Amino acid sequence: MRLVVLLVLGAVSLCAETPAELEKLLATAAEPGIVMVEIARQYAIAGDRKPALAWFQKAAALNPEYTPEFDRDFETMATLPEFQSLIERARKASPPVLRGVLAFSVAESDLIPEGLAWDARSRKLYLGSVNKHKIVEIGSDGAVRDFIVAGQDGIGSVLGMKVDPRTNTLWANSLSNTEGSGVFHYDLATGRLIEKYVLPADLMFNDLDVTSKGDVFATATRAQALYWISAKTGKLEEWRPGLKLRDANGIAPSSDQRRLFISTFPDGVTVIDLESGSVRGLAHPASVSLASVDGLYFHDNSLIAVQNGCIAHRVARFFLNAALDSVEKAEVLERGNPLFDIPTTGAIAGDTVYFIANSQIHNYGAQGIVDRGKLRPISILKVKL
């Protein structure tokens, strides 16, 4: 989750390269439009509106879905007619798709939720809180209770989570300026902490997933790395030290457990072959955008992605070829829902995807909630796949 880095830790943009350095990525990026948007962002941050506008127009020429509407780094350009034209063009190219149904509403509006996990055994959802440093349990009847109370076991802002059905346990990533970046392992039946792994905060463990063998893989966004906890050793360590995964965020193993799909910059999604160690950007048609993928999930030979950032916020499904190295077609599952306020992550439950519709992360900063008057109950939507 890019915004957590910016707001919780007060960091600058994850892409520290200059526009000239970013331009060198255009020739090899699986989605060069993402690079163009980032170049535009860097110019906008510097106050150079003319080149910022020109680069964003180049990106929009490749795919009109790119929009500066949701990125605060472009606010200084809002008075430009050309800026408004980009927004209007993107809106026409990205009409609302409303298939989602409100599954649950959580009255505790100041959670700033990030991370959603599904337990098939109990049919419960687990929701992480960035602001309150806790994990909330949502029953199938909609009843809400604290599963892990605020700060329990030293847990900080809760990010990615995943249930391991083999062991009836919950894995959760945590970020704290004082405690560090951690992976916490809990017993679902009792809420007891089984073990926690804590490393320096500047790694930022973001999202995670668990394979059928019990291996845990976690993206370390600020470190641009992939970490794992082997089921055999139980140790947290970097997987393939030296491998750089820019802005590594959402993560999903294929059903055969041979590949990992990770949302990254500048390729949109990176495919890692866990057996050979090969790493490549996921190929896709120019008309399909893999930009700004936050939550990422594998389902029936396709990827389910929650996308925010530089395109109209949406949940999309990307159908893959047999080799799982290319997108064959895309389907928008939800877009432009009036409940949306930075959708972030989700969870697959059988033939349904649940997802956080309104993380409200824009209303959260280094000092906590910015404007409590703007908070709304947390909405979790569901869409049949």
Side-chain angles (χ1 to χ4, degrees), residues 40 43-44 47-57 68-69 73-89:
Y43 277 119
D48 295 333
R49 300 199 301 175
K50 186 175 180 180
L53 180 63
W55 276 103
F56 213 111
Q57 288 171 329
E69 182 175 7
D73 287 334
F74 292 103
E75 284 183 344
T76 58
M77 299 166 55
T79 58
L80 298 176
E82 298 91 341
F83 179 91
Q84 295 301 324
S85 295
L86 285 170
I87 293 176
E88 289 304 316
R89 182 181 181 184

Side-chain angles (χ1 to χ4, degrees), residues 107-145:
E108 198 170 0
S109 60
D110 59 350
L111 289 175
I112 309 298
E114 169 67 10
L116 193 65
W118 166 256
D119 179 19
R121 184 178 308 187
S122 66
R123 303 190 65 79
K124 294 177 180 177
L125 284 169
Y126 292 88
L127 181 68
S129 171
V130 169
N131 180 43
K132 290 194 167 181
H133 299 186
K134 66 178 185 177
I135 300 174
V136 169
E137 177 188 278
I138 306 173
S140 58
D141 59 355
V144 179
R145 75 174 186 93

Side-chain angles (χ1 to χ4, degrees), residues 254-256 258-261 271-274 276 278 280-283 298 301-303 319-328:
S254 60
S255 56
D256 63 9
R258 294 180 179 179
R259 295 169 181 83
L260 278 181
F261 298 88
V271 187
I272 297 178
D273 188 307
L274 292 174
S276 69
S278 68
R280 66 174 65 184
L282 180 65
F298 191 91
N301 219 64
S302 66
L303 290 172
F319 295 88
L320 306 178
N321 61 355
L324 302 182
D325 59 7
S326 179
V327 175
E328 292 191 330

Side-chain angles (χ1 to χ4, degrees), residues 130-282:
V130 169
N131 180 43
K132 290 194 167 181
H133 299 186
K134 66 178 185 177
I135 300 174
V136 169
E137 177 188 278
I138 306 173
S140 58
D141 59 355
V144 179
R145 75 174 186 93
D146 285 353
F147 173 69
I148 300 300
V149 300
Q152 179 180 327
D153 308 310
I155 201 166
S157 293
V158 179
L159 305 181
M161 297 191 299
K162 191 74 174 183
V163 168
D164 184 352
R166 297 167 49 260
T167 56
N168 196 34
T169 58
L170 175 71
W171 292 89
N173 282 339
S174 164
L175 181 64
S176 168
N177 284 330
T178 56
E179 296 293 329
S181 189
V183 181
F184 287 64
H185 191 198
Y186 287 102
D187 183 281
L188 279 175
T190 65
R192 177 182 63 86
L193 178 69
I194 299 171
E195 193 163 3
K196 67 178 179 180
Y197 307 80
V198 180
L199 292 176
D202 57 6
L203 271 68
M204 188 190 167
F205 293 129
N206 195 331
D207 210 347
L208 59 74
D209 213 318
V210 187
T211 71
S212 59
K213 298 178 181 179
D215 295 329
V216 178
F217 287 90
T219 54
T221 303
R222 294 194 68 187
Q224 301 186 58
L226 177 65
Y227 276 73
W228 77 314
I229 301 171
S230 167
K232 292 181 179 180
T233 67
K235 295 180 179 180
L236 173 66
E237 54 191 349
E238 189 173 355
W239 188 84
R240 280 194 60 189
L243 172 65
K244 292 297 182 183
L245 299 169
R246 300 169 186 247
D247 288 16
N249 193 343
I251 182 170
S254 60
S255 56
D256 63 9
Q257 313 293 298
R258 294 180 179 179
R259 295 169 181 83
L260 278 181
F261 298 88
I262 300 176
S263 57
T264 55
F265 174 90
D267 293 322
V269 173
T270 293
V271 187
I272 297 178
D273 188 307
L274 292 174
E275 295 180 348
S276 69
S278 68
V279 179
R280 66 174 65 184
L282 180 65

Side-chain angles (χ1 to χ4, degrees), residues 118 123 125 347-354 385:
W118 166 256
R123 303 190 65 79
L125 284 169
I348 303 294
D351 63 352
T352 299
V353 57
Y354 291 89
L385 299 172

Side-chain angles (χ1 to χ4, degrees), residues 95-109:
V97 176
L98 304 176
R99 294 172 52 184
V101 176
L102 181 64
F104 301 104
S105 181
V106 179
E108 198 170 0
S109 60

Side-chain angles (χ1 to χ4, degrees), residues 65-76:
E65 290 184 322
Y66 290 123
T67 176
E69 182 175 7
F70 304 103
D71 194 326
R72 291 188 173 184
D73 287 334
F74 292 103
E75 284 183 344
T76 58

